[in-house]
Amino acid sequence: MPAEVADWLIAQQAEKQMKTIFQLADEVGIEKDELIPYGYYMAKIDYQKLYSRIKNNPDGKYIVVTAITPTPFGEGKSTTTIGLTQGLGKRGKKVSCAIRQPSAGPLMNIKGSAAGGGFSQCIPRTEFSLGFTGDINAVMNAHNLAMVALTARMLHESNYSDEILNKKGLKRLDIDPKRVQIGWVIDFCAQALRKIVIGIGGKKDGIPMESRFDIATSSELMAILSLVKDLKDLRERIGRIVVAYSKSGNPITTEDLEVAGAMTAFMLPAINPNLIQTMEGQPVFVHAAPFANIAIGQSSIIADWIGVKLSEYHITESGFGADIGFEKFWNIKCRISGLKPDAAVLVATLRALKYHGADKDAPKIVSGNPIPEKYFERNLKWLEKGLENLFHHINIVKKAGLNPVVCLNKFYGDDNDELEFVKKACEEIGIPVAISEHYEKGGAGALELVDMVIDACRNKSSFKFLYDNNLPHISRIELIARQIYGADSIELSSEALEKLKNINSNPEFSQFSICMAKTHLSLSDNPELRGAPRGWQLFVRDILIFTGAKLIVPVAGEINLMPGTASNPNFRRIDVDLQTGKVIGI
């Protein structure tokens, strides 16, 4: 079958030879009573039951996959993660990987499924892409229940006296409608819902106020799902979420609203990771779905703990480029999990390198439009200039004490001379490079990459954090800006400075992690600045506090928690074959 055939057709062909979930679980070392089947080919894993049995197993090698600054279409980290997993399987290794669940927003918009591509995908593709086992729905229901509890409480406090409230067992919280911290969530890209007004009507219809919808994967609950260690941890974190402030400035939590327990009930199934398989039959753990530009961007700690205990090699993927996804993996996720990576894979493509090295008058790459032909034509000048971005990301990974293996993800039609040009440039600075053809050839196309990763894992890791968590928050922000993004300095808005002052006055926040929010399309806070910008200042316009996730989130540049749907979205091409009942076009 030609490589350019649609991914969904390749997946449907592979699904005819799928292992049952029971066979897959048995091969990976999961016992039948530790499995919660969702049909024949998908399952959840009873995490606490499984982990109590395997927690004393030795750890396998732990590998992280990251990338250079991507184009709006992504450069194939998920495809590389799955291709590398399949390739390690070809080498006879016991291997697993962990990826995030796809959000319906990007799926129906521009980026499509997070299942991988070509002959390096996870299956069953359609079920994985369309709702899966319901974890995102659990996040939506739990999050929106908090908004229901908040808005109902505001209405009742407006309509009832203190005496009546007391008779109902309620204490007046005196919630300030102008200081509500959260909105509603939905798992679509819906720009029309970014700013809304609710409570329009009469005395029984709510308090009129401005509100909003965010995309579901940006919910603090999704970040919490990535970071929790067990059910007790989940319950405690949910109870600490601040949803609003009182008129006197006191925080109002989900515990104050007496809704945290019910939210945890919705989230209860979601704490268990999901199990599916690659097209070549290796296990894939899927858990959590936060974006890296606005959240932590990692699959769960729980999934990685399971993976390293069951496998010789476990691969985990970080969202977007090394400046945001890998930085958060390195300084947040690894600090909490206690796991240290043995190797890192840095994904790059010719089109992204040319994008970062292109002349100012070069055609732009615009979401929803085809990539201009200029980026597929031979152009060593653009390529050489674009190497600055690759080298910057190499240095980010090296700051963590790791020497990355660069994976040149070969696309159909890529120029071999250009691929060799990039490979030689990296080898001259001592960085191993594999030209990987896993998209076209599956695991067999990733064997060069596999062998380099195995070699990298043989070297003792000197992994280290960028900063000590006892450093003041402002110092950590500045270190990330200078050392990771390449900024000369930082500037905080008056609003951000005031919030930072309040954060510093509360000892509870001293050990909270710094989770930067910025564009994924540039090393800087300006998505228009390509390559490796120099002579710029990071502007922090706001600072958010996620008390449940224990994250301090400096917001640099314009970050929107609700993406918009483009003019040529994927949903135009998705349909159902009425003869077979199969979904087509994902």
Side-chain angles (χ1 to χ4, degrees):
M1 185 178 290
E4 63 267 31
V5 171
D7 289 345
W8 59 270
L9 279 177
I10 298 172
Q12 283 191 2
Q13 195 65 29
E15 286 166 10
K16 294 176 182 178
Q17 286 83 42
M18 269 192 294
K19 298 172 182 176
T20 69
I21 198 66
F22 305 101
Q23 179 186 352
L24 181 68
D26 182 63
E27 290 176 3
V28 76
I30 299 171
E31 296 179 355
K32 198 168 183 179
D33 66 342
E34 295 161 347
L35 207 62
I36 307 166
Y38 278 64
Y40 290 107
Y41 305 108
M42 305 189 308
K44 279 191 165 294
I45 299 162
D46 188 326
Y47 158 65
Q48 291 187 289
K49 186 179 287 186
L50 171 63
Y51 195 70
S52 65
R53 179 174 64 83
I54 65 171
K55 63 184 179 182
N56 294 323
N57 288 3
D59 287 354
K61 298 296 184 182
Y62 188 41
I63 302 154
V64 58
V65 175
T66 184
I68 66 171
T69 305
T71 67
F73 296 90
E75 307 316 309
K77 286 194 313 300
S78 298
T79 308
T80 299
T81 298
I82 295 163
L84 177 58
T85 302
Q86 293 177 162
L88 281 160
K90 288 275 186 194
R91 287 288 190 235
K93 305 299 183 183
K94 190 175 183 183
V95 58
S96 61
C97 67
I99 60 175
R100 290 165 294 162
Q101 179 182 348
S103 162
L107 173 74
M108 293 294 172
N109 190 20
I110 297 298
K111 289 194 72 177
S113 175
F119 290 90
S120 291
Q121 301 185 51
C122 58
I123 51 178
R125 181 184 174 90
T126 297
E127 290 82 354
F128 170 69
S129 303
L130 293 178
F132 203 25
T133 61
D135 290 353
I136 293 179
N137 283 344
V139 167
M140 282 196 293
N141 286 333
H143 181 110
N144 289 334
L145 181 62
M147 278 299 288
V148 167
L150 177 67
T151 52
R153 184 62 167 264
M154 292 170 72
L155 174 66
H156 298 320
E157 290 192 9
S158 173
N159 289 340
Y160 299 139
S161 66
D162 287 352
E163 183 182 1
I164 294 175
L165 287 174
N166 289 335
K167 285 181 179 178
K168 294 176 179 290
L170 298 175
K171 173 188 173 185
R172 184 174 295 278
L173 299 175
D174 203 24
I175 300 158
D176 187 346
K178 294 181 179 179
R179 296 196 67 190
V180 172
Q181 300 299 295
I182 65 172
W184 310 83
V185 295
I186 189 172
D187 197 30
F188 291 115
C189 300
Q191 53 265 59
L193 296 176
R194 286 172 181 163
K195 292 181 184 290
I196 62 173
V197 176
I198 60 174
I200 297 174
K203 188 177 180 181
K204 297 181 179 180
D205 299 318
I207 303 295
M209 64 179 184
E210 289 187 2
S211 189
R212 69 180 193 271
F213 271 86
D214 300 331
I215 194 165
T217 48
S218 73
S219 169
E220 182 176 355
L221 285 166
M222 188 60 83
I224 287 172
L225 187 60
S226 289
L227 297 172
V228 294
K229 298 179 179 181
D230 52 35
L231 184 57
K232 181 175 181 288
D233 191 17
L234 177 69
R235 176 62 180 82
E236 289 175 352
R237 285 175 180 267
I238 287 176
R240 285 198 299 263
I241 294 173
V242 172
V243 294
Y245 287 88
S246 70
K247 290 173 183 174
S248 58
N250 295 319
I252 308 296
T253 67
T254 55
E255 208 72 80
D256 293 326
L257 293 171
E258 299 179 279
V259 72
M263 291 170 68
T264 308
F266 269 126
M267 291 289 291
L268 184 59
I271 196 174
N272 289 316
N274 307 286
L275 177 65
I276 51 174
Q277 63 195 280
T278 72
M279 290 174 63
E280 298 179 10
Q282 291 81 28
V284 179
F285 299 111
V286 184
H287 205 203
F291 294 162
N293 57 339
I294 53 180
I296 190 170
Q298 314 294 320
S299 55
S300 73
I301 286 173
I302 285 174
D304 284 350
W305 275 352
I306 288 173
V308 297
K309 293 298 183 183
L310 290 175
S311 309
E312 292 177 89
Y313 292 86
H314 177 69
I315 304 154
T316 194
E317 178 195 348
S318 291
F320 294 127
D323 56 320
I324 45 181
F326 176 79
E327 189 276 314
K328 293 169 185 178
F329 166 82
W330 164 22
N331 292 301
I332 302 176
K333 185 178 181 182
C334 289
R335 201 186 298 265
I336 295 171
S337 73
L339 297 175
K340 296 181 179 180
D342 297 281
V345 174
L346 183 63
V347 179
T349 60
L350 292 183
R351 74 179 184 192
L353 291 169
K354 289 178 185 177
Y355 174 76
H356 288 294
D359 300 331
K360 288 184 178 179
D361 58 352
K364 290 186 176 182
I365 294 180
V366 180
S367 296
N369 295 339
I371 299 175
E373 285 297 319
K374 281 278 187 184
Y375 293 95
F376 298 102
E377 296 171 1
R378 180 181 291 200
N379 193 322
L380 294 181
K381 178 187 170 188
W382 285 7
L383 208 54
E384 185 172 18
K385 178 68 175 171
L387 286 172
E388 291 179 6
N389 186 271
L390 173 58
F391 292 164
H392 187 101
H393 283 282
I394 287 170
N395 285 331
I396 290 172
V397 176
K398 290 176 79 170
K399 287 177 192 294
L402 301 168
N403 284 318
V405 175
V406 170
C407 170
L408 271 176
N409 184 17
K410 185 180 179 183
F411 287 176
Y412 182 75
D414 276 354
D415 185 282
N416 287 328
D417 289 342
E418 289 186 325
L419 291 166
E420 290 296 332
F421 177 83
V422 176
K423 184 172 184 176
K424 183 180 178 184
C426 291
E427 288 173 345
E428 285 176 354
I429 60 169
I431 299 298
V433 180
I435 298 171
S436 193
E437 298 181 80
H438 48 270
Y439 181 89
E440 291 186 55
K441 300 177 182 178
L447 294 181
E448 181 185 21
L449 174 63
V450 165
D451 293 340
M452 289 183 181
V453 168
I454 290 173
D455 282 344
C457 287
R458 291 191 182 112
N459 298 324
K460 185 173 175 58
S461 169
S462 55
F463 182 77
K464 57 188 178 183
F465 297 118
L466 179 67
Y467 51 78
D468 189 295
N469 240 20
N470 290 319
L471 270 182
H473 293 301
I474 187 69
S475 301
R476 289 186 251 169
I477 297 169
E478 189 165 16
L479 266 173
I480 293 168
R482 289 178 179 272
Q483 296 287 323
I484 306 304
Y485 306 154
D488 285 349
S489 59
I490 64 171
E491 180 187 358
L492 278 71
S493 70
S494 56
E495 182 181 4
L497 279 169
E498 184 63 29
K499 287 188 176 181
L500 192 60
K501 181 180 176 182
N502 292 334
I503 288 166
N504 291 337
S505 67
N506 190 335
E508 178 192 356
F509 300 143
S510 64
Q511 293 297 305
F512 279 24
S513 299
I514 294 292
C515 182
M516 301 292 293
K518 79 168 188 72
T519 179
H520 61 288
L521 296 174
S522 173
L523 285 164
S524 74
D525 53 9
N526 179 356
E528 299 300 319
L529 294 182
R530 307 181 191 181
R534 296 289 180 266
W536 62 278
Q537 183 179 61
L538 184 81
F539 179 66
V540 178
R541 65 176 177 83
D542 196 5
I543 296 180
L544 309 177
I545 309 171
F546 292 159
T547 48
K550 297 185 179 180
L551 300 175
I552 303 295
V553 183
V555 181
E558 293 300 318
I559 293 292
N560 206 314
L561 299 183
M562 172 53 81
T565 289
S567 59
N568 185 26
N570 291 328
F571 64 68
R572 297 177 65 191
R573 292 167 284 279
I574 296 172
D575 210 327
V576 176
D577 185 321
L578 299 181
Q579 298 300 315
T580 64
K582 297 283 188 182
V583 175
I584 57 177
I586 289 181

